[in-house]
Amino acid sequence: IAHRDERPAGWHVLVGVSACWALAASAAVLALVRGRATRLPYPLLLAPAWLGSGSMFAWSGWRLPATVYVALAHPGDVGYPENLAVAVALHVTAVMAGAGIMRILVRGDRRPVSLPGSARQPAERVGPRL
């Protein structure tokens, strides 16, 4: 049975852009926390980390209450293009991830980092250098 996707093209573009910001922020923070030398200068790693965390936190921060309202109130004139339970879980996860990345950037994370394929070593401060 063929399923016709009734979401507008703009919705797909917005999801793709959000995914790219999340991946860019995650990659930048991973590079900063691991402390490995990269070819990118420090400010070029900070920019996608800040922009991506802000994007995840702010976008899902305002979408979460609207999604919860639609899920609980079931207004007749509002149609939602996605599964409400999945959307709520996605927005909660994005708010938490965005806040977590912001915390790492502001305070720095001094705990040892253990990632597959890397030696266990203390992480460097990734926040502002004073």
Side-chain angles (χ1 to χ4, degrees), residues 19 50 72-73 88 97 105 120-121:
W50 275 110
L72 296 176
V88 167
L105 292 172
R120 187 172 177 96
Q121 58 188 348

Side-chain angles (χ1 to χ4, degrees), residues 37-82:
T38 64
R39 293 179 185 214
L40 295 174
Y42 185 75
L44 287 180
L45 286 174
L46 281 179
W50 275 110
L51 292 170
S53 68
S55 171
M56 286 188 288
F57 183 82
W59 180 254
S60 290
W62 82 264
R63 288 283 306 221
L64 180 60
T67 305
V68 169
Y69 168 75
V70 170
L72 296 176
H74 301 294
D77 60 337
V78 175
Y80 215 73
E82 48 204 3

